[in-house]
């Protein structure tokens, strides 16, 4: 028996395999089980043309044995096995994959589904093991072989094994203060890892497990016993045809898979074939996780390759605006790197992500149109995420989100979509009117909103901080532009009415100058308005930033917050304004008090603080005398 070196820049490459490529030590079990599944696949394929194999599909299995005293973990299969040359080629050469070579040889004849195509997964075992022994007997051979390595090199010698297949025996490292290698000999940990990574391997994974039962002849005494149990599910739900899966099975899978006590609001089952083939099962949860709006939340779908979990949270598969979606994607066509943990950014991944986005949007639109109550439940939980998705990345995803948005309708008194707003627009209405603010009831009472409602026009009342960015991002919807009812021209006046308003403003120029002078720096401009309905006054922002944006910026960064210019609009037809106008000639001091009082009322209606509350109360009291 001669000790040989690995056929590569061995030690340096081995160190990279053990310390750099894999992010979690537990990955080793997934890799070894996947290799065992590959070996069975190869013998199962051989059995299609060779009746001497003597095994049918139900006979194939992977067995796990643990010896806590000897600190060994053994993974066995009854697959194709290896001879000495195979060991030299596949185990003695790092990054050489027998499975990949097999697939390349066979794919010209038939599509072969092989998991382990990458050639380095086996060496991940050195993350937890001091040494590895592989005993294998190739189908059709009389001799078995034993390959042994401590990661510096390896030996190959004859061995004994009754039937074709392979045993991979790991001698685990000793525990340290920082690492507990013994956990990989614990029944619970092995069960958990198999369920996490290898639950959908197509062959049963069996292990002797402990159970308890009532002792015979007693009523309340229990005894422990052991039994060989199958630890994996084998057939994933998403691989079954939709018609063969009930709603109860979909809901049960979701609750168990994602540890949610509530059933989901909806599911999306996708089976796609073409340039990229994949299957996906996605869910729309009924509630948000407690950390959903924090940086700790891990979005993304679970990614599988032929039933083996590759990534627990693949963020690239679901866009940010749909980050609430949970589910799995399984594909054989993705290009994986040598560790099977990191995904290359390639065309296949992009195609899958784009298709899934369309499926999610379609499911949500269908829910909005066909099950309003369920959609309102969804929107109450995740509507804000759709809004943030609309404005993120300079509106790059607005097409995916805009049809799903909902806002409070001043006319209807409920949430409506943008499409519903446009379809219900009054004859001659050319703009989508909206009013940003903190409270729906306050917004309904604003002079501009009252005026628009009086004309038969609806107003969308936007109360979330992000809402005001949405019209600026969308610009138009169904060829209708947006109009901020508080700060922009409502477009209600004809050209003749505009000319008449200019003449009135010119006639009242002295009156407006008086008010502007008395208010001083508090206002940028004083002007007349025809949009105030029954109200005497309104305070509107100067072109640019709104009052709501001012408040938001002040909360986010008080030091650099800017104050928006105030414009005082007056309703010349209102009795209070006429009284102020008359007082200018008879009692200028009283007129000044009227001006300050109306300005303060404008601040209150705009939900802005009054500069001097004491002065305001004095003015009110002086009028009451």
């Amino acid at each position: 028996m001669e000790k040989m070196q690995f056929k590569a820049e061995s030690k340096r490459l081995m160190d990279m395999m053990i310390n750099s490529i894999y992010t979690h030590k537990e990955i080793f079990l997934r890799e070894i089980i996947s290799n065992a599944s590959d070996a069975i696949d190869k013998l199962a394929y051989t059995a299609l043309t060779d009746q001497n194999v003597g095994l049918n599909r139900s006979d194939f299995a992977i067995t796990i044995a643990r010896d806590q005293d000897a600190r060994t973990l053994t993974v066995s299969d009854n697959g194709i096995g290896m001879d000495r040359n195979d060991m030299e080629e596949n185990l003695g050469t790092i990054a050489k994959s027998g499975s990949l070579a097999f697939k390349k040889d066979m794919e010209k004849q038939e599509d072969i589904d092989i998991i382990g195509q990458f050639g380095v997964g086996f060496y991940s075992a050195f993350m937890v093991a001091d040494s590895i022994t592989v005993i294998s007997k190739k189908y059709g051979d009389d001799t078995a072989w034993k390959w042994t390595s401590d990661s510096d090199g390896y030996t190959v010698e004859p061995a004994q094994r009754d039937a074709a297949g392979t045993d991979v025996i790991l001698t685990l490292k000793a525990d340290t203060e920082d690492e507990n290698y013994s956990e990989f000999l614990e029944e619970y940990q092995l069960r958990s890892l198999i369920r996490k990574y290898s639950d959908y391997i197509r062959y049963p994974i069996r292990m002797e497990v402990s159970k308890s039962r009532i002792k015979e002849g007693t009523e309340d005494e229990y005894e422990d016993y052991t039994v060989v149990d199958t630890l994996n599910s084998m057939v994933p739900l998403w691989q079954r045809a939709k018609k063969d899966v009930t709603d109860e099975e979909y809901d049960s899978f979701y609750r168990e898979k994602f540890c949610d006590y509530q059933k989901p609001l909806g599911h999306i089952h996708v089976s796609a074939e073409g340039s990229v083939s994949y299957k996906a099962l996605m869910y729309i949860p009924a509630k948000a996780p407690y950390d959903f709006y924090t940086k700790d939340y891990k979005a993304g779908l679970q990614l599988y390759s032929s039933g083996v979990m590759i990534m627990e949270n693949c963020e690239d598969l679901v866009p940010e605006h749909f980050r609430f979606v949970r589910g799995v994607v399984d594909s054989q066509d993705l290009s994986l790197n040598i560790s099977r943990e990191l995904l290359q950014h390639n065309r296949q991944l992009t195609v899958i992500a784009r298709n899934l986005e369309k499926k999610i949007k379609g499911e949500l639109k269908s829910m909005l149109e066909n099950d309003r109550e369920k959609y309102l439940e969804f929107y109450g939980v995740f509507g804000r995420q759709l809004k943030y998705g609309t404005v993120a990345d300079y509106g790059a995803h607005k097409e995916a989100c805009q049809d799903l948005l909902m806002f409070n309708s001043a006319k209807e008194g409920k949430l409506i979509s943008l499409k519903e707003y446009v379809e219900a627009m009054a004859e001659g209405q050319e703009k989508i009117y909206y009013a940003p603010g903190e409270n729906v009831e306050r917004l309904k009472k604003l002079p501009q909103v009252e005026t628009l409602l009086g004309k038969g026009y609806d107003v969308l009342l936007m109360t979330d901080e992000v809402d005001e960015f949405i019209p600026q991002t969308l610009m138009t919807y169904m060829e209708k532009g947006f109009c901020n009812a508080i700060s922009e021209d409502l477009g209600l006046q004809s050209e003749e009415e505009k000319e008449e308003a200019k003449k009135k403003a010119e006639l009242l120029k002295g009156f407006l100058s008086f008010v502007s002078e008395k208010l001083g720096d508090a206002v940028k401009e004083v002007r007349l308005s025809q949009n105030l309905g029954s109200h005497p006054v309104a305070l509107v922002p100067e072109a640019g930033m709104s009052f709501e944006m001012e408040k938001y910026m002040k909360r986010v960064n008080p030091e650099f917050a800017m104050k928006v210019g105030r414009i005082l609009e007056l309703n010349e037809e209102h009795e209070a304004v006429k009284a102020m106008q008359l007082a200018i000639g008879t009692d200028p001091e009283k007129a000044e008090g009227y001006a300050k009082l109306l300005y303060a009322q404008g601040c209150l209606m705009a939900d802005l603080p009054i500069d001097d509350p004491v002065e305001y109360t004095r003015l009110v009291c002086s009028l009451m005398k």
Side-chain angles (χ1 to χ4, degrees):
M1 182 174 62
E2 179 184 358
K3 187 169 185 177
M4 292 166 280
Q5 292 297 312
F6 289 106
K7 298 176 183 178
E9 193 179 1
S10 61
K11 187 59 180 174
R12 184 176 176 186
L13 186 55
M14 184 69 77
D15 287 343
M16 183 182 72
M17 298 297 160
I18 298 171
N19 300 315
S20 300
I21 291 179
Y22 295 94
T23 55
H24 301 290
K25 288 182 171 58
E26 64 190 32
I27 294 297
F28 82 93
L29 188 59
R30 179 193 73 184
E31 298 297 312
I32 293 176
I33 288 175
S34 296
N35 289 341
S37 176
D38 295 343
I40 297 175
D41 280 338
K42 294 171 187 175
L43 188 56
Y45 182 79
T46 302
L48 297 177
T49 56
D50 186 349
Q51 295 181 353
N52 295 323
V53 169
L55 295 173
N56 57 46
R57 191 171 185 83
S58 62
D59 297 323
F60 291 120
I62 299 167
T63 304
I64 295 178
R66 56 197 180 93
D67 186 332
Q68 291 178 309
D69 294 331
R71 295 186 64 78
T72 60
L73 181 68
T74 302
V75 179
S76 302
D77 67 72
N78 53 353
I80 194 73
M82 291 181 285
D83 59 20
R84 179 176 185 133
N85 289 333
D86 293 330
M87 287 183 170
E88 292 274 1
E89 287 294 312
N90 300 328
L91 302 183
T93 304
I94 298 174
K96 175 70 180 293
S97 172
S99 294
L100 180 59
F102 176 81
K103 184 174 184 180
K104 286 182 176 178
D105 288 341
M106 295 295 105
E107 63 187 4
K108 297 176 183 178
Q109 306 173 36
E110 185 176 337
D111 184 27
I112 303 298
D113 180 9
I114 294 292
I115 300 169
Q117 304 172 25
F118 313 103
V120 298
F122 171 80
Y123 303 97
S124 64
F126 282 113
M127 292 190 293
V128 301
D130 280 328
S131 65
I132 302 175
T133 298
V134 178
I135 299 175
S136 188
K137 184 176 183 180
K138 190 168 185 176
Y139 169 71
D141 285 2
D142 295 327
T143 305
W145 293 91
K146 180 169 76 172
W147 180 96
T148 306
S149 174
D150 57 4
S151 82
D152 286 329
Y154 65 92
T155 60
V156 181
E157 59 184 307
Q160 292 294 321
R161 198 178 198 278
D162 292 337
T166 302
D167 304 317
V168 178
I169 306 165
L170 311 183
T171 302
L172 299 190
K173 297 178 181 180
D175 295 337
T176 66
E177 291 184 4
D178 299 326
E179 299 289 352
N180 177 24
Y181 297 103
S182 296
E183 66 175 331
F184 299 116
L185 295 171
E186 298 291 338
E187 178 185 317
Y188 174 79
Q189 179 71 345
L190 293 172
R191 277 178 173 272
S192 299
L193 293 180
I194 290 168
R195 291 297 300 272
K196 180 177 181 179
Y197 292 108
S198 307
D199 198 31
Y200 305 115
I201 290 288
R202 62 173 63 91
Y203 305 107
I205 302 172
R206 296 170 179 157
M207 184 174 76
E208 188 176 81
V209 298
S210 300
K211 294 189 177 183
S212 63
R213 61 191 172 194
I214 295 178
K215 193 172 183 179
E216 188 176 351
T218 69
E219 294 182 358
D220 55 3
E221 289 186 37
Y222 286 82
E223 63 178 359
D224 294 331
Y225 69 102
T226 59
V227 63
V228 176
D229 200 4
T230 298
L231 306 183
N232 59 323
S233 303
M234 289 182 280
V235 181
L237 196 68
W238 61 82
Q239 292 286 2
R240 293 160 58 183
K242 297 179 189 179
K243 62 182 179 63
D244 297 331
V245 186
T246 66
D247 288 339
E248 289 75 16
E249 287 177 310
Y250 280 123
D251 293 348
S252 177
F253 176 83
Y254 168 78
R255 288 177 176 178
E256 181 180 351
K257 185 74 172 174
F258 299 104
C259 303
D260 193 344
Y261 67 91
Q262 286 186 301
K263 70 177 185 179
L265 292 177
H267 64 265
I268 307 164
H269 193 166
V270 182
S271 180
E273 296 183 359
S275 58
V276 181
S277 297
Y278 65 92
K279 297 181 186 296
L281 181 54
M282 300 177 290
Y283 291 91
I284 300 169
K287 64 179 182 66
Y290 70 94
D291 60 347
F292 183 71
Y293 286 106
T294 71
K295 63 180 180 181
D296 296 327
Y297 177 73
K298 293 182 178 180
L301 305 179
Q302 292 185 355
L303 178 64
Y304 286 76
S305 177
S306 300
V308 178
M309 192 174 80
I310 305 302
M311 294 179 69
E312 192 160 11
N313 300 98
C314 184
E315 296 181 354
D316 293 330
L317 283 173
V318 62
E320 178 68 14
H321 44 282
F322 293 149
R323 69 200 296 261
F324 49 81
V325 173
R326 310 184 77 173
V328 299
V329 175
D330 192 346
S331 175
Q332 306 170 35
D333 294 343
L334 291 174
S335 298
L336 307 175
N337 77 345
I338 54 177
S339 76
R340 289 192 243 177
E341 289 189 85
L342 302 176
L343 213 57
Q344 297 176 2
H345 293 275
N346 55 25
R347 187 187 64 83
Q348 291 98 329
L349 184 64
T350 303
V351 169
I352 293 176
R354 189 185 304 122
N355 290 344
L356 294 182
E357 181 182 26
K358 292 178 182 177
K359 293 290 185 181
I360 296 168
K361 178 183 176 180
E363 175 66 19
L364 291 174
K365 280 192 71 174
S366 176
M367 190 187 298
L368 171 61
E369 294 167 359
N370 303 315
D371 194 339
R372 186 62 163 239
E373 185 176 342
K374 183 180 287 188
Y375 189 81
L376 288 174
E377 183 181 351
F378 156 78
Y379 199 77
V381 179
F382 298 112
R384 185 175 297 178
Q385 182 62 35
L386 295 179
K387 293 177 180 180
Y388 281 118
T390 303
V391 302
D393 299 329
Y394 304 99
H397 310 289
K398 63 183 182 181
E399 295 295 330
C401 298
Q402 59 184 2
D403 294 331
L404 305 173
L405 300 176
M406 302 189 82
F407 302 97
N408 283 291
S409 161
K411 181 187 285 189
E412 300 291 335
K414 63 180 182 181
L415 288 172
I416 63 171
S417 67
L418 292 175
K419 181 181 180 182
E420 290 166 340
Y421 179 97
V422 172
E423 290 177 343
M425 285 172 63
E427 185 177 352
Q429 182 181 347
E430 293 298 326
K431 300 180 180 180
I432 300 173
Y433 294 105
Y434 69 95
E438 295 183 6
N439 183 285
V440 168
E441 295 305 317
R442 283 185 183 179
L443 289 172
K444 282 183 180 179
K445 297 174 183 178
L446 288 177
Q448 299 91 333
V449 174
E450 182 183 284
T451 298
L452 288 166
L453 289 174
K455 294 278 188 181
Y457 299 161
D458 198 0
V459 182
L460 298 175
L461 308 178
M462 299 184 170
T463 55
D464 279 339
E465 288 180 342
V466 67
D467 284 352
E468 194 173 347
F469 294 100
I470 292 175
Q472 300 171 24
T473 301
L474 297 183
M475 302 296 288
T476 62
Y477 182 82
M478 293 178 67
E479 300 181 352
K480 301 292 183 181
F482 288 86
C483 176
N484 188 327
I486 297 174
S487 60
E488 298 179 35
D489 180 10
L490 301 181
L492 303 179
Q493 292 177 299
S494 64
E495 291 301 321
E496 293 78 9
E497 290 173 329
K498 289 180 181 179
E499 284 299 319
E500 186 65 27
K502 285 181 181 179
K503 292 177 182 178
K504 285 184 179 180
E506 188 63 31
L507 290 172
L508 296 174
K509 187 175 182 180
F511 163 62
L512 297 175
S513 296
F514 172 86
V515 178
S516 180
E517 180 185 339
K518 297 306 177 184
L519 295 179
D521 294 338
V523 296
K524 288 285 186 179
E525 182 186 353
V526 178
R527 66 191 183 197
L528 301 178
S529 175
Q530 307 300 312
N531 299 325
L532 303 185
S534 62
H535 298 272
V537 67
L539 201 64
V540 300
E542 191 178 21
M545 195 162 63
S546 68
F547 293 143
E548 294 307 311
M549 189 63 62
E550 176 188 304
K551 298 173 194 174
Y552 172 74
M553 297 301 293
K554 190 173 183 179
R555 287 194 298 271
V556 172
N557 196 340
E559 185 178 351
F560 296 99
M562 295 178 61
K563 186 175 181 179
V564 181
R566 272 80 165 139
I567 297 175
L568 185 68
E569 293 189 340
L570 299 173
N571 181 359
E572 60 159 333
E573 300 297 330
H574 197 278
E575 293 299 324
V577 176
K578 289 181 178 179
M580 178 173 60
Q581 189 177 354
L582 289 172
I584 292 175
T586 59
D587 190 346
E589 186 176 345
K590 178 182 277 190
E592 180 180 349
Y594 285 160
K596 292 178 178 178
L597 190 61
L598 288 174
Y599 171 73
Q601 290 179 340
C603 289
L604 290 172
M605 293 171 67
D607 199 20
L608 294 169
I610 299 174
D611 294 335
D612 191 346
V614 174
E615 174 65 9
Y616 173 73
T617 58
R618 187 192 68 78
L619 288 170
V620 172
C621 290
S622 67
L623 291 175
M624 293 175 65
K625 287 191 294 185

